Amino acid sequence: MRNGTGTFPFTLFTYPKCLMKHFNELEKLSLVASKTENAVIITDKNGFIDWVNAAFIRISGYELAEVSGKKPGSFLQGPETSKATINAISAKLQQQVPFTEELINYTKKGDPYWIKMDVSPIYNPQQECIGFIAVESDISERKQYEQQLIEKKISLAYAQEISKIGNWSFNISTYDVKWSDNLYKIFEIDPETNTLYDAYINCVHPDDLPDLQQAINDAVTLGKDYVIEHRIIVPGNEIKFIKGIAKVAKNIHGMPVALFGTAQDITIEKNYELELLKAKEAAEMATVAKSSFLAMMSHEIRTPLNGIMGAADLASKACMNSEQAELINVIKKSGKTLLKLINDILDFSKLEAGHVSLDEENTELLSCVQDVYSLLLLKAKEKNNELSFSIENKLPQFIVADGNRLKQVLINLVGNAVKFTDKGKISIVVTQEKISNDNICIKFTVTDNGIGIPAEKQVNLFKEFYQVESMKSRRFEGTGLGLSISKKLVHLMQGEFTISSEVGKGSCFAFTIIAKRGENLVKGATAPQQVIQKNELSHLKILVAEDNDINIFLAQKLLHNLDIIPDIAKDGLMAVEKASENKYDIILMDIHMPNMDGHEATKTILSSLPKEQQPKAIIAMTADAFKENEEACLKAGMNDFISKPLDTDKFYAMLKKWSDFFSITERMAI
Ligand code: ADP
């Protein structure tokens, strides 16, 4: 372009020969070439370089003289230059049409750089192509950014693929939905799908859809983020589990404007979880089966044991010589050991199955410890041991705790201390550890100066059936279950166990429990031991419903001692029949009987007989040891429960209790 003074801008260069005759075009191009930072190449119509500008020389490192008359491709292109782009450029030059391409060039030194080239044909006034002008901008930096972006996208895509996550966004006002590539893969939806939201909703499992739609609705209308797990059904009817998380973006007024979310395919984890659940259920069922097997076994063992112990008990009360008495004593002792073993195994299996719950009630701390003390005092004395106990003054008199379970642990520890100590001292010390709000941490410490336990064996003490002395050399009785049961019970009472022991010096077992302060009750005088006179209960009319001959014999024997001649029913049906013919004071009802069991018989008696004909009390008499069974008996309408093997004193005390109760109620009725 000519300027006002007629100055020609291409002052630094010789004008290209081919362009001399086309001065007007040159004028225009020269202005572009002089002002631009971009490289400019002008070629003749066959593509041979006529001229390059200073920027080209700077960028490429070639001088005009070196490139003049050469085709640019012959020296600017290199190994990384795309062949396809080169072919496209050739075609466009042939067609003499303007075009834009991006490709890699090489400097004179051999360094690659990216250019964007805008090529235009140059026409003379007769519209004949006389050459080409290529304006090239260095886009290396942009290409580098683009490359980084691509790499980031690729790594994000990989991350999404590896973690089976896809992400999405939803514009609430435009309904515009965007999905990442992996989301399409997870949902197995065609990326060309226009109605993406509908496609998504359509594959959600119908059972899970209402909750999902509610969550989406709450997010869009109330701005509530959500995390939801739901199933989808993909082509081939395969079910996948999806964990969906959505966050709501809000405007400055707090109104929801968009949702951003992720969906993760958690099918493998979920299936794994389901398998674990199934395995857990199977294991639980196995434990239940084991538990009920043990309960059944215990019932089966207890029934003959009842016979052995009851007969031994009766025999011990009869006159006999000392040798006979000794033999009977062995039977009684062995029976007791066997009963303890059965009880321990049952207790352990129930604790292991998590079927033990605490019966927490107002419990007097002192009487708990005193009971344990009195129970074991005789044994301690037999071994020339001194047994003592102390309770810290600041402890409350009453606590809310399961007194029986607490005593069970203490009896085990003190029993062990007595067992493993000779001519020594055993102490039970109860102290207050901590107190927070109304929770009191109470510590029970049982110390002895007996045989002690080697340090390396102490870690095993809470394992079931573990005993320090090996089977062969064992001098002490025991099941090896006491401490593992105790530990489980202490955990139930939210406490901890500690042990310290030294061989030859003695042992110290301590445990804590957490209990609430109980209600202070004025302690009445303890009931004196009941002595039942012969004839005292002879007025009672009793029916024994029992199928086992030995048990019938024992019950008859016990009752004969009280001058009671009971009626006998050998199954539930017969019991109902007898109850309808006679008015009994007490029916002693076995549970497991042929034809009709004890529960059924009780229900029938209570529902079919008129009130005045019904027995005054039905007492379950069974070898079942579980509390649930006791509850089931009461539920069936029975009034009380006594477990077999029958303890003579307890049995008589039970009859006395009910006899007293009948006379009180009779007197009150007057
Ligand atoms: P058991 O006493 O019925 O064998 P435990 O579980 O109560 O079962 O005790 C396990 C073992 O721990 C005992 O057999 C004994 O070897 C050891 N043990 C427990 N208490 C003491 C103690 N006070 N002194 C020495 N050894 C003890």
Side-chain angles (χ1 to χ4, degrees), residues 412-413 416-417 419-420 448 451-453 461 466-469 477-484 507 509:
N412 181 49
L413 296 189
N416 278 347
K419 191 158 59 172
F420 298 107
D448 65 63
I451 62 171
I453 303 158
L461 286 182
Y466 182 81
Q467 292 177 313
V468 172
E469 292 200 343
E477 292 172 355
T479 60
L481 277 172
L483 286 176
S484 47
S507 310
F509 286 80

Side-chain angles (χ1 to χ4, degrees), residues 645-660:
L646 289 178
D647 175 294
T648 314
D649 293 336
K650 277 191 192 153
F651 181 62
Y652 289 164
M654 160 85 80
L655 295 181
K656 169 92 169 81
K657 180 177 90 176
W658 282 100
S659 165
D660 290 349

Side-chain angles (χ1 to χ4, degrees), residues 42-105:
I42 296 175
T43 67
D44 64 17
K45 67 175 179 185
N46 296 316
F48 293 101
I49 296 177
D50 267 336
W51 181 80
V52 292
N53 72 349
F56 174 85
I57 293 166
R58 180 174 43 78
I59 294 168
S60 70
Y62 290 105
E63 293 299 333
L64 174 63
E66 289 175 273
V67 300
S68 183
K70 289 187 181 165
K71 286 204 168 182
S74 65
F75 60 94
L76 286 174
Q77 291 158 10
E80 285 185 48
T81 312
S82 152
K83 297 277 173 292
T85 313
I86 294 169
N87 292 339
I89 292 171
S90 300
K92 292 277 173 10
L93 290 173
Q94 292 274 318
Q95 292 161 22
Q96 298 180 345
V97 289
F99 64 90
T100 300
E101 284 294 350
E102 291 181 358
L103 83 165
I104 294 174
N105 273 355

Side-chain angles (χ1 to χ4, degrees), residues 340 344 412-421 426 446-454 457-458 460-470 474 476-486 499-502 506-509:
K340 163 118 179 64
D344 276 1
N412 181 49
L413 296 189
V414 182
N416 278 347
V418 171
K419 191 158 59 172
F420 298 107
T421 309
I426 297 153
V446 178
T447 313
D448 65 63
N449 55 359
I451 62 171
I453 303 158
K457 305 220 164 156
Q458 288 174 22
N460 296 319
L461 286 182
F462 293 107
K463 288 185 185 157
E464 52 267 31
F465 298 108
Y466 182 81
Q467 292 177 313
V468 172
E469 292 200 343
S470 69
R474 221 162 65 203
F476 306 97
E477 292 172 355
T479 60
L481 277 172
L483 286 176
S484 47
I485 291 174
S486 297
I499 310 170
S500 63
S501 184
E502 213 177 307
S507 310
C508 174
F509 286 80

